Amino acid sequence: MSGCVFCGIVAGEVPAFRVADEPDGLAFLDTRPVFKGHVLVVPRTHLVTLADLPADALAGYFGLVRRIAVAVETGLGAGGTFVAMNNKLSQSVPHLHTHVVPRTKGDGLRGFFWPRTRYADDADATEHAARVTAALPTP
């Protein structure tokens, strides 16, 4: 898509520090990493949200995400990884992408970037669960 920086990276028109270039997606270093080694994984086609990813592409795309998470941990000697995706809100580039962030014990990242809350009671939690269940798309 014209003007999309991630599409430009996929096309080779925008420079990036590539980690993997495969039919199911492309992985490259984030230019503003949470920690060094923070990788972004994108599908090769321009899709904006997870809902736009075709069902037949899920296994390939998330297989690549899983392999990148293993490689980040192993290659950087990290204690683990944080894998995250924004959809619409907080999505700085409107192209589906998954963050793979290396983690180490004591790295200072606490609860990532959001505050936590509580349900008022079990009835409140049950009501929220029911609303999500009612809106669940069929496979």
Side-chain angles (χ1 to χ4, degrees):
M1 175 168 202
S2 179
C4 173
V5 68
F6 289 171
C7 287
I9 291 170
V10 169
E13 298 163 356
V14 174
F17 296 98
R18 293 174 180 235
V19 172
D21 187 346
E22 300 181 1
D24 293 309
L26 183 72
F28 51 91
L29 293 181
D30 192 313
T31 58
R32 294 180 307 131
V34 175
F35 299 117
K36 291 179 182 179
H38 176 166
V39 175
L40 299 177
V41 182
V42 302
R44 300 189 74 75
T45 39
H46 184 80
L47 306 169
V48 177
T49 67
L50 181 58
D52 300 327
L53 186 65
D56 62 355
L58 287 168
Y61 180 74
F62 282 105
L64 176 58
V65 171
R66 181 184 62 81
R67 290 178 36 246
I68 294 298
V70 169
V72 164
E73 185 175 335
T74 303
L76 300 176
T81 57
F82 181 82
V83 178
M85 177 185 297
N86 291 306
N87 275 297
K88 298 178 189 174
L89 295 178
S90 297
Q91 193 177 15
S92 59
V93 175
H95 183 122
L96 177 67
H97 58 284
T98 306
H99 297 260
V100 180
V101 179
R103 297 293 314 271
T104 56
K105 187 172 177 68
D107 62 16
L109 196 60
R110 299 193 188 282
F112 209 55
F113 304 120
W114 53 80
R116 298 293 181 131
T117 190
R118 294 186 183 272
Y119 293 100
D121 52 29
D122 286 353
D124 186 28
T126 299
E127 188 259 333
H128 279 79
R131 288 171 55 193
V132 173
T133 299
L136 192 63
T138 56

